């Protein structure tokens, strides 16, 4: 094995830059680990020994021997002994590669992806092992096969290393890995994916600049994206919110790193409350969460109803239509009732997720129209009349929205599916509208809104303290 190899990082397995004479340590640019040179020499030597043993077990001595000078003979020996071993490895490498990129490449502290990244060290070692076969190739065809298999394992190694670093908030290293992965992908005829990987490396550079408290540079990087792969859109949109928020904080003399910290905590809280991974619907909630902070800083406004209370709770001001199926509670069969309602946007932190059904089911009387009118008079109309777009007092507690519009709509239909027959009503249609904040009084275990007409039970007081602004 006359081929020379770079030293390898004993932490992640990536190739290391050549250490300078006299140095005792060398830093891995792909994971940030400081390798003691003697340790990385031992690790690389062990890999080389494993490669020698692997090749010896796989091929007869004449293939390995340099005396086999006849390239035609070497090609036939390569095809007979090595190709059957490389081909399934190439298939594995491609499968691992496409599986990895299908899940999205943008992550923040391991909170956005649905699956843990693979072990980059394993992929780097496999790439290292395969690259040793290049000196046994007897033709361009043989060499191309070796290089392709090696490159796919290298690409998946760099990409997974980027994701591991992103989970550890090492965004500069994450970007560096993706830049290297893009070079590898260009070399094996994957230009479209290489372009995507380059774009995501820019997203990680932007996050690195936010951590460095230089959001102006991060804004330039994130705005330079021409197109985003659908699987990366969630992460890119979250980072855009962070970058905009960070720039706003800088302009108002605040710590530009604070928005990143708050975003991480909000994602954690949302995942803890919902019990599910973050999806694209979360971006609308994060945008509203940042707007609350803007409004408290005097850098933006939110829409809220005036009134007495120490806490603002989020609701969607919505329109509903129900239809009678028989006479009875409604005046006649087929009659429709249109009304405005408020859909809680704080579920699952609070309960119930639907308040008009709760009100109507407990109200006295038999006529649904009158019950709906009572709900509107006591709760919805005062809110609508008191709405304004304004800044927020820094002392006012604000519960951020935790229910995406699509989820609030689903809750509503589920409730009416159960209660509609009891009200002799069907064909429920709801149009989820604007997010508004309604004043309430925070009490032990619940928030009282609409002058006590509605109570939102707090399911987790500790989580309330985490998310409230």
């Amino acid at each position: 094995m006359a081929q020379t190899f770079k030293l390898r990082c004993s932490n992640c397995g990536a190739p290391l830059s050549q250490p300078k004479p006299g140095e005792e340590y060398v830093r891995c640019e792909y994971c940030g680990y400081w390798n003691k040179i003697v340790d990385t020499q031992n690790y690389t030597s062990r890999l080389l020994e494993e490669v020698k043993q692997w090749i010896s077990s796989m091929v007869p001595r004449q293939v390995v021997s340099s005396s086999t000078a006849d390239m035609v003979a070497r090609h036939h020996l390569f095809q007979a002994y090595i190709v059957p071993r490389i081909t399934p490895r190439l298939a594995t490498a491609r499968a691992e590669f496409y599986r990895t990129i299908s899940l999205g490449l943008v992550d923040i502290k391991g909170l956005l992806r649905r699956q843990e990244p693979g072990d980059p060290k394993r992929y780097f070692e496999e790439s290292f092992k395969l690259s040793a076969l290049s000196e046994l190739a007897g033709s361009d065809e043989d060499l191309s096969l070796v290089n392709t298999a090696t490159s796919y394992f290298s690409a998946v190694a760099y990409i997974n290393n980027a994701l591991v670093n992103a989970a550890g908030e090492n965004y500069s290293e994450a970007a560096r890995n993706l830049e290297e992965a893009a070079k590898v992908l260009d070399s094996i005829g994957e230009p479209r994916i290489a372009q995507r990987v380059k774009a995501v490396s820019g997203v990680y550079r932007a996050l690195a600049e936010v951590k460095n408290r230089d959001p102006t540079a991060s804004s330039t990087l994130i705005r330079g994206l021409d197109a985003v792969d659908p699987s990366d859109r969630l992460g890119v949109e979250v980072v855009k919110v962070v970058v905009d928020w960070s720039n706003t904080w800088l302009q108002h003399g605040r710590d530009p790193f604070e928005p990143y910290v708050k975003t991480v905590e909000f994602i954690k809280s949302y995942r803890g409350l919902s019990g599910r991974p973050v999806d694209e619907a979360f971006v609308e909630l994060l945008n509203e969460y940042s707007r609350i902070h803007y409004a408290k800083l005097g850098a933006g406004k939110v829409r809220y109803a005036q009134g007495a209370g120490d806490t603002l709770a989020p609701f969607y001001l919505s329109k509903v239509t129900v239809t009678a199926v028989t006479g009875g509670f409604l005046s006649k069969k087929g009659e429709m009732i249109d009304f405005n309602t408020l859909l809680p946007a704080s579920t699952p932190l609070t309960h119930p997720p639907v308040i008009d059904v709760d009100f109507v089911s407990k109200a006295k009387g038999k006529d649904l129209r009158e019950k709906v009118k009572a709900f509107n008079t006591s709760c919805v109309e005062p809110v609508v009349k008191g709405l304004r777009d304004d800044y927020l007092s820094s002392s006012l507690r604000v519960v951020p929205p935790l229910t995406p519009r699509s989820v609030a709509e689903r809750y509503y239909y589920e409730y009416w599916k159960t209660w509609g027959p009891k009200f002799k009503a069907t064909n429920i249609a709801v149009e989820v509208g604007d997010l508004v904040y309604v004043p309430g009084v925070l009490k032990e275990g619940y928030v009282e809104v609409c002058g006590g007409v509605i109570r939102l039970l707090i399911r987790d007081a500790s989580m309330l303290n985490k998310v409230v602004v």
Side-chain angles (χ1 to χ4, degrees):
M1 295 182 61
Q3 187 175 355
T4 58
F5 293 89
K6 285 186 174 182
L7 292 175
R8 292 285 170 147
C9 174
S10 57
N11 181 57
C12 72
L16 294 171
S17 56
Q18 184 66 29
K20 296 177 182 178
E23 288 185 333
E24 291 187 26
Y25 292 87
V26 58
R27 183 182 182 275
C28 176
E29 60 184 313
Y30 301 106
C31 72
Y33 182 73
W34 283 93
N35 290 264
K36 197 171 183 178
I37 291 177
V38 65
D39 291 338
T40 188
Q41 288 173 335
N42 291 337
Y43 171 63
T44 307
S45 296
R46 180 176 64 78
L47 286 180
L48 285 169
E49 186 59 36
E50 289 177 1
V51 168
K52 290 177 183 177
Q53 293 176 8
W54 177 61
I55 292 177
S56 297
S57 68
M58 178 170 57
V59 297
R61 184 174 299 174
Q62 63 266 32
V63 179
V64 181
S65 172
S66 59
S67 63
T68 312
D70 185 339
M71 297 306 291
V72 174
R74 289 179 67 84
H75 171 65
H76 287 304
L77 289 168
F78 188 93
Q79 292 289 316
Y81 292 102
I82 297 179
V83 169
R85 302 292 290 270
I86 294 182
T87 303
R89 278 181 158 82
L90 175 57
T92 298
R94 281 180 168 145
E96 290 289 323
F97 171 73
Y98 288 114
R99 181 191 63 80
T100 300
I101 64 172
S102 70
L103 297 172
L105 302 180
V106 183
D107 196 10
I108 294 179
K109 205 174 183 178
L111 296 171
L112 299 184
R113 278 175 56 89
R114 293 174 179 267
Q115 188 170 318
E116 295 289 323
D119 179 12
K121 193 171 187 178
R122 177 170 68 89
Y123 297 124
F124 276 126
E125 289 179 354
E126 188 69 17
S127 173
F128 182 90
K129 181 187 294 186
L130 289 169
S131 67
L133 297 176
S134 60
E135 65 185 56
L136 306 180
S139 68
D140 290 342
E141 178 189 350
D142 300 341
L143 188 59
S144 176
L145 178 62
V146 172
N147 289 341
T148 301
T150 300
S151 296
Y152 270 107
F153 271 115
S154 292
V156 79
Y158 283 119
I159 291 171
N160 278 284
N161 211 22
L163 294 170
V164 168
N165 277 281
E169 301 180 284
N170 302 317
Y171 299 118
S172 292
E173 287 78 8
R176 181 71 186 89
N177 276 279
L178 292 184
E179 289 161 2
E180 199 63 35
K183 293 177 186 177
V184 173
L185 291 168
D186 271 329
S187 73
I188 55 173
E190 295 275 15
R192 184 183 62 82
I193 301 176
Q195 184 177 4
R196 172 191 168 191
V197 169
K198 287 178 186 176
V200 175
S201 72
V203 176
Y204 283 128
R205 290 288 180 198
L207 279 173
E209 294 300 340
V210 168
K211 285 195 70 178
N212 292 334
R213 293 175 166 81
D214 187 6
T216 304
S218 67
S219 183
T220 302
L221 287 163
I222 202 74
R223 299 303 167 199
L225 292 177
D226 296 325
V228 176
D229 188 89
S231 58
D232 299 326
R233 186 173 293 119
L234 165 64
V236 171
E237 292 302 318
V238 169
V239 174
K240 283 182 178 179
V241 174
V242 173
V243 169
D244 288 342
W245 189 354
S246 184
N247 274 283
T248 301
W249 249 226
L250 180 66
Q251 293 163 11
H252 286 78
R254 301 286 292 272
D255 181 0
F257 183 55
E258 185 182 352
Y260 171 85
V261 176
K262 290 184 178 295
T263 297
V264 168
E265 291 305 313
F266 188 56
I267 296 173
K268 287 180 180 178
S269 297
Y270 176 79
R271 287 183 53 151
L273 284 165
S274 65
R276 58 177 178 264
V278 174
D279 57 20
E280 286 190 36
F282 171 77
V283 177
E284 70 179 81
L285 305 181
L286 181 60
N287 268 305
E288 291 296 337
Y289 181 65
S290 66
R291 287 182 62 207
I292 295 171
H293 286 87
Y294 291 166
K296 285 202 163 192
L297 185 66
K301 298 179 180 181
V302 297
R303 199 174 192 201
Y304 68 94
Q306 294 176 291
D310 57 9
T311 304
L312 290 180
F315 290 85
Y316 293 114
L317 183 58
S318 307
K319 295 180 179 179
V320 179
T321 300
V322 297
T323 307
V325 290
T326 64
F329 287 2
L330 298 171
S331 56
K332 60 182 180 179
K333 181 178 180 180
E335 183 177 0
M336 293 190 298
I337 296 180
D338 300 309
F339 61 94
N340 293 327
T341 191
L342 293 169
L343 302 187
S346 51
T347 309
L349 177 64
T350 63
H351 185 81
V354 176
I355 58 174
D356 57 9
V357 170
D358 228 39
F359 179 94
V360 169
S361 66
K362 296 174 183 177
K364 295 180 180 180
K366 293 184 177 181
D367 189 77
L368 180 58
R369 183 185 295 277
E370 290 303 315
K371 291 183 177 186
V372 168
K373 182 178 179 181
F375 174 73
N376 270 264
T377 302
S378 60
C379 193
V380 181
E381 290 177 5
V383 168
V384 173
K385 289 178 181 178
L387 284 176
R388 60 184 292 182
D389 294 300
D390 208 344
Y391 306 116
L392 292 172
S393 167
S394 59
S395 61
L396 188 63
R397 294 165 61 93
V398 184
V399 179
L402 298 165
T403 318
R405 281 177 171 78
S406 58
V407 176
E409 181 182 54
R410 188 180 77 239
Y411 283 145
Y412 199 80
Y413 282 123
E414 287 174 354
Y415 258 62
W416 273 93
K417 184 179 180 180
T418 300
W419 286 92
K422 298 178 181 179
F423 301 145
K424 297 190 180 345
T426 188
N427 295 337
I428 313 301
V430 59
E431 181 182 339
V432 181
D434 294 338
L435 181 74
V436 300
Y437 295 91
V438 178
V441 178
L442 181 62
K443 297 193 174 182
E444 188 69 32
Y446 62 93
V447 178
E448 196 174 73
V449 296
C450 297
V453 174
I454 300 298
R455 285 185 177 183
L456 294 176
L457 302 180
I458 299 170
R459 286 181 157 177
D460 189 332
S462 64
M463 192 62 77
L464 172 67
N465 291 329
K466 288 182 180 180
V467 301
V468 75
V469 181

